[in-house]
Amino acid sequence: MTAFDSSSLPPEAPIEAVVAVAPGLTWGERLAPFLANKLAVLGAFLTFFFLVVACIGAAIMFVPGWSDLYIDQRLRETLLRPLSPGFPLGTDQFGRDMMWRIAAGTAVSLFTGLAVTIISMFFGMILGALAGYAGGIVDRVISAFIDLVWGFPVILVAVIFVGALKPGLTAVILAISVVNWAGFARIVRAQVISLKERAFIEAARALGVPSWKIIVRHLVPNMLGTSLVMASYYIAVTVIAEAGLAFIGLGAQPPTPSLGQMISEGRNFLYVNPWVAILPGMTIALIVLGLNTLGDGLRDIFDPHLRRS
Amino acid sequence: MTAMVPTADIDSGSGTAPLLQVRDLVTSIKGRKSDVAAVDHVSFSVSRGEIFGVVGESGCGKSMTALSILRLIPVNAAITGGAILFDGVDLTTLNERAMRSIRGNRISMVFQEPMTALDPSFTVGTQITEVIHAHSNVSKAEARERAAQMLDRLGITNAASRLDSYPHQFSGGMRQRVMMALALVMNPQLLIADEPTTALDVTIQAQILDLIAELRRDMGLSVLLITHNLGVVHEIADRVAVMYAGEVVEIGPVQQIFANPQHPYTQGLLRSMPYLTDRQDRLYVIPGRVPELRAMPSGCRFAARCRNRIPICTQRHPQLVENEPRHALRCFNPTPYVD
Amino acid sequence: MSTEPLLTVNNLVKRFPVATDFFGRSTAFVSAVDDVSLQVQRGETLALVGESGSGKSTLARLVLRLIEPTSGSVRFDGQDVLGSNKGQMQEFRRKAQIIFQDPFESLDPRMKGEVIVAEGMPDSGRSKSERKARVAELLDLVQLPADAARRFPHEFSGGQRQRLSIARALAVDPIFVVADEPVSALDVSMQSQILNLMRDLQDRLGLTYLFISHDMSVIRHMADRVAVMYLGQIVEIGPAVEVFSNPVHPYTQTLLSAVPSLIVGGTPPTLLDYEAARAAIGACTGSGSLQAVSGQPDHMVACFGEDAWVRHRGRM
Ligand SMILES: Nc1ncnc2c1ncn2[C@@H]1O[C@H](COP(=O)(O)OP(=O)(O)OP(=O)(O)O)[C@@H](O)[C@H]1O
Ligand SMILES: Nc1ncnc2c1ncn2[C@@H]1O[C@H](COP(=O)(O)OP(=O)(O)OP(=O)(O)O)[C@@H](O)[C@H]1O
Ligand code: SF4
Ligand SMILES: [Mg+2]
Ligand SMILES: [Mg+2]
């Protein structure tokens, strides 16, 4: 993730630049750098759009009776192109409505991404913070573990989980989480280490503020921004990983729709109707683009140290 | 006597084309309603082998000027006017890629805040060798060797063994020297040093100033030296610009300005200095505070704090005017300095 | 009781591990503070000056027990600081405070002025409005505008931020304040403001200061006594007037002669040559031990040999 390769960043944001984004500004002022970044605004828009789509998708999957919308097979109307009457995005090889399939697939992708990110953030934050705060041997052991896990190829882990459980979303969520938490843990550890050395933490200790209060009042609020930024990147990464796993048949199993699986099936019909593969592919690309540019924008708001000019 | 001159013409007088020429630089910070200029029509030049000092109150735009030169200004700021000529090339027009090949290599910068500039999760050695690898093709061992040598020249004892320490294991002054090593290790043509010696005791400070002087003599290094420490400027700089509220208010050769400061603000700065030999009862303080960027007075920006104020000061904005050769100032009513 | 020094530090040592093996065992050390003993009397200002990396900040943190020493003892106001239990530590933290070098780093950017100032105030025993009134009083004491309570650190100038951290330190009614380079990040005019303020507060509240700085002219302005540190040890200590006018240790001499000429003003101190300096500290018993300078019983200098002389004075 080059986005976090802080060593290649400009070494310093001027002091005032740091504080200019701290709280105390009106929301207008705080959002100014974000709004100035046209891409970030586009990212926010895209993300919001797909969130709405995902909510609709979830609704049709879970509200009884609505699932007909994307499950119904109309075998006389297979592989219709987009903009066909009654099917704005066309149909697939079974005559299922692509529009609703993509909505449902988006729901699966995004909520998988959210689930994975929440799980990995939880464990990553706890272990990363522990390593950073405790230091010494605790840090060494946890760091060695983090590095080991971070090196695992997701696909391999997924194969193991699928073997142990059965192919499906649960296996996918577990497999990606098992690797992703290490990414969070690394960054949280670095953050805690640098925060711990900040003079204001030492000042609080000198005032006799107890440790738990220091963590709650100083460490956590100062890490929240970065965590949010990281979360948006990690959801994007998970969306891609999930699609990849689904593509090779390790992900969500039919009839649960998944964008990766749709691309994989659509491959066979490229000559008849390439849109059955292109549309889910474009959806993934746009979701990821949205999340990443949103992440860049958030970074500008929360963490000016990571800013590039 | 006094003549209006385009301010960019006040240079070292060496006759040759300067290495760096900042012309009417305006760097603005985007605001809700309107933009405000943190650097307002600033002009100066640095000749080859010259050490040029910039002094002035906190928040007057010194760092912003430096960051503008390297185009590392924060995202909510923008260079909205002027030109920055480095070796004849206007840096404001270069693309990001060309800029990157200049940064850290031909122009390098020592940032004001070592702890935010150094990455806490990498060792000092890693951070220095990374810069070496980024701009040259040397082996790992060689890069380490060079890093250790540089730290050694900057007065860090046991430099080689301390390469494996993390920044928080260094004292404040040692971190500052690590920053210096990062900046000097590629032998740049121009060094921009933003408060390079604030955390250093006078002996190490002297050692670093000597090193800078030596690099200037041997390699023709030019230096843009930003500092609060008037003693350092006096010691090492050839010329100095005094900034106030985003503008240059006095510029000229160091000897002239220290012997005969003309601008009331420069005089105030010199008057506030504690001296070594006598224990003053109270130190002089320039009354009042710097005007807000958003509420800059239209007349002289120093007027509210000035002892020499006359009615015109609040009505018109003074221009930078050369009052003796190569010494210019922005004031309607300068008076001779009395301590 | 009142003749006992407020702070007595005996044989304090702190070694930091700089290299560790996988199991966290240390394989190499830096002796940041190496057998330091000193005393600070009530109401005085002891200035600590020394080479960068000589252990000044480490000593300050040891004295306040922000880090644990390798060995040695710290007595403060009749209390053994290192042997204190939790309750006694709370009491100690109320009496001894610190102001940090960096006004940007030492304030949490996400807290408002009043929260920062009130941070160390005990939760109990004061109503909300009493706390507010106390904060207002403190802000006034350090001459900050009343609306400072509702501002965030970035909305202050560097000098104002430093005042805020002074107010925070004073909020617990300390009797002893360690100031670790409190003005080196400030421009001269703000520096003067803070130094004036610190002296006023000392006069009004009878504070005792341990004042760390590398700026000799600032020390000259603030200090009653000066201790000079080099490589973790105190090499010269004595009344400021004597140390400044009559430096004996070669490092102190180098320090004074390296001050930029602009801020010397008047005549620079006279420097002794090797013979005279050796003669001044009389017979050297053990190397490194502090000896009184003849005729100045309060002025102590570490016994040095010719090698130390060459090392320091040779650099000039
Ligand atoms: N990112 C930012 N957003 C808003 N204002 C900023 C930003 N960065 C700097 N400023 C403002 O621009 C002005 C110039 O700041 P600059 O950092 O150049 O000051 P300086 O002269 O270097 O001060 P110091 O001596 O304290 O370092 C200040 O008023 C500052 O508050
Ligand atoms: N946490 C730490 N781990 C390892 N070494 C440390 C640590 N803190 C300080 N040191 C080392 O201890 C020595 C003394 O550091 P200290 O910060 O006390 O110096 P100082 O006198 O305050 O210097 P300066 O004037 O530069 O701030 C230095 O060599 C430093 O590298
Ligand atoms: S122009 Fe007037 S107010 Fe401004 S510095 Fe000169 S005398 Fe003072
Ligand atoms: Mg600055
Ligand atoms: Mg220190």
Side-chain angles (χ1 to χ4, degrees), chain A residues 74-75 78-79 91-96 265-266 268-269 276:
Chain A
R74 302 170 191 82
L75 294 177
T78 55
L79 294 174
T91 57
D92 69 1
Q93 71 274 22
F94 297 120
R96 293 178 294 194
E265 291 172 1
N268 304 322
F269 308 99
V276 288

Side-chain angles (χ1 to χ4, degrees), chain B residues 177-188:
Chain B
R177 286 177 275 164
V178 171
M179 290 295 306
M180 199 77 178
L182 281 170
L184 289 175
V185 76
M186 291 315 295
N187 286 328

Side-chain angles (χ1 to χ4, degrees), chain C residues 29-109:
Chain C
F29 293 97
V30 172
S31 288
V33 170
D34 188 3
D35 195 14
V36 165
S37 303
L38 54 80
Q39 300 182 334
V40 186
Q41 305 296 333
R42 284 167 202 272
E44 79 166 348
T45 301
L46 174 68
L48 208 51
V49 63
E51 180 160 62
S52 160
S54 61
K56 304 181 294 296
S57 302
T58 306
L59 181 58
R61 289 155 79 203
L62 285 172
V63 163
L64 293 179
R65 205 180 169 191
L66 291 171
I67 50 176
E68 298 292 326
T70 310
S71 66
S73 73
V74 178
R75 272 190 83 71
F76 179 84
D77 203 14
Q79 177 186 358
D80 173 15
V81 176
L82 299 173
S84 295
N85 61 26
K86 219 168 166 180
Q88 291 167 322
M89 271 318 284
Q90 282 293 327
E91 181 64 17
F92 171 67
R93 297 243 175 272
R94 209 184 52 65
K95 289 192 284 194
Q97 271 305 309
I98 182 162
I99 303 167
F100 287 97
Q101 165 171 14
D102 194 329
F104 305 109
E105 270 283 294
S106 53
L107 304 176
D108 190 331

Side-chain angles (χ1 to χ4, degrees), chain B residues 25 37-42 59-61 243-248 293 296 301:
Chain B
L25 177 68
V39 177
D40 201 354
H41 295 278
V42 164
C60 69
M243 282 183 71
Y244 185 79
E247 296 179 322
V248 173
L293 281 183
M296 257 329 148
R301 294 180 176 181

Side-chain angles (χ1 to χ4, degrees), chain A residues 19 140 198 202 205 218, chain C residues 20 61 105 108 119 154:
Chain A
V19 295
R140 264 152 220 283
R198 295 277 291 271
E202 193 158 46
R205 287 213 294 132
H218 296 284
Chain C
T20 45
R61 289 155 79 203
E105 270 283 294
D108 190 331
E119 177 149 37
H154 73 275

Side-chain angles (χ1 to χ4, degrees), chain A residues 197, chain B residues 157 162 165-177 199-201, chain C residues 14-18 29-33 49-61 67 101 180-181 212-214 229 231-232:
Chain A
E197 300 304 328
Chain B
T157 41
R162 303 235 47 186
S165 297
Y166 287 88
H168 77 266
Q169 298 175 319
F170 274 26
S171 77
M174 290 160 80
R175 281 177 212 149
Q176 216 161 35
R177 286 177 275 164
L200 300 174
D201 66 283
Chain C
K14 177 69 188 180
R15 293 189 301 163
F16 284 110
V18 285
F29 293 97
V30 172
S31 288
V33 170
V49 63
E51 180 160 62
S52 160
S54 61
K56 304 181 294 296
S57 302
T58 306
L59 181 58
R61 289 155 79 203
I67 50 176
Q101 165 171 14
D180 190 357
E181 315 225 24
I212 302 175
S213 175
H214 57 259
M229 273 187 90
L231 285 184

Side-chain angles (χ1 to χ4, degrees), chain B residues 1-321:
Chain B
M1 257 330 280
T2 45
M4 283 273 286
V5 289
T7 48
D9 282 353
I10 299 169
D11 60 16
S12 65
S14 64
T16 57
L19 178 66
L20 176 77
Q21 231 178 325
V22 175
R23 278 199 197 142
D24 277 321
L25 177 68
V26 183
T27 303
S28 309
I29 294 169
K30 296 195 192 85
R32 246 180 316 172
K33 299 196 191 79
S34 57
D35 295 355
V36 290
V39 177
D40 201 354
H41 295 278
V42 164
S43 300
F44 59 87
S45 64
V46 184
S47 303
R48 282 161 219 276
E50 183 182 35
I51 298 178
F52 186 83
V54 178
V55 299
E57 194 135 347
S58 178
C60 69
K62 304 182 295 292
S63 300
M64 212 54 141
T65 305
L67 293 169
S68 302
I69 295 173
L70 280 175
R71 297 235 315 263
L72 287 176
I73 47 178
V75 282
N76 61 337
I79 298 175
T80 49
I84 299 168
L85 299 174
F86 176 68
D87 219 358
V89 180
D90 187 351
L91 297 183
T92 58
T93 62
L94 289 187
N95 64 22
E96 188 49 34
R97 179 123 167 251
M99 231 21 244
R100 255 202 304 271
S101 71
I102 288 183
R103 277 184 214 132
N105 193 22
R106 296 182 63 198
I107 307 181
S108 58
M109 176 147 180
V110 176
F111 292 89
Q112 188 171 6
E113 186 42 57
M115 231 10 206
T116 44
L118 294 172
D119 191 322
S121 40
F122 291 96
T123 63
V124 164
T126 312
Q127 300 188 48
I128 303 178
T129 49
E130 192 165 64
V131 174
I132 303 179
H133 287 305
H135 294 289
S136 66
N137 222 338
V138 296
S139 73
K140 266 196 167 144
E142 203 171 322
R144 252 185 96 82
E145 172 71 30
R146 260 168 79 179
Q149 261 171 17
M150 201 66 232
L151 286 184
D152 188 55
R153 285 181 82 175
L154 292 164
I156 302 236
T157 41
N158 287 333
S161 71
R162 303 235 47 186
L163 284 180
D164 296 319
S165 297
Y166 287 88
H168 77 266
Q169 298 175 319
F170 274 26
S171 77
M174 290 160 80
R175 281 177 212 149
Q176 216 161 35
R177 286 177 275 164
V178 171
M179 290 295 306
M180 199 77 178
L182 281 170
L184 289 175
V185 76
M186 291 315 295
N187 286 328
Q189 286 170 284
L190 175 67
L191 170 70
I192 301 178
D194 196 352
E195 303 285 359
T197 60
T198 40
L200 300 174
D201 66 283
V202 279
T203 60
I204 304 260
Q205 177 177 302
Q207 194 176 340
I208 289 194
L209 298 183
D210 284 349
L211 177 68
I212 290 180
E214 186 186 316
L215 291 174
R216 176 245 287 265
R217 196 182 56 232
D218 300 347
M219 332 269 289
L221 176 72
S222 307
V223 184
L224 181 65
L225 178 72
I226 298 171
T227 178
H228 291 140
N229 191 327
L230 301 177
V232 167
V233 170
H234 182 255
E235 198 79 353
I236 187 171
D238 304 305
R239 288 187 309 130
V240 60
V242 182
M243 282 183 71
Y244 185 79
E247 296 179 322
V248 173
V249 294
E250 185 159 10
I251 181 170
V254 164
Q255 298 309 332
Q256 265 178 47
I257 289 197
F258 280 82
N260 186 17
Q262 299 277 301
H263 197 280
Y265 176 63
T266 316
Q267 298 177 346
L269 280 184
L270 283 167
R271 211 173 277 131
S272 344
M273 280 186 19
Y275 288 93
L276 189 57
T277 37
D278 52 353
R279 179 172 179 169
Q280 293 108 310
D281 233 12
R282 290 190 75 75
L283 297 168
Y284 177 77
V285 174
I286 304 174
R289 56 176 295 188
V290 194
E292 298 268 338
L293 281 183
R294 277 169 221 291
M296 257 329 148
S298 55
C300 171
R301 294 180 176 181
F302 188 61
R305 311 172 70 184
C306 183
R307 338 168 132 185
N308 293 6
R309 185 179 54 230
I310 48 176
I312 191 177
C313 299
T314 47
Q315 292 152 14
R316 289 194 30 215
H317 188 74
Q319 297 300 309
L320 196 59
V321 173

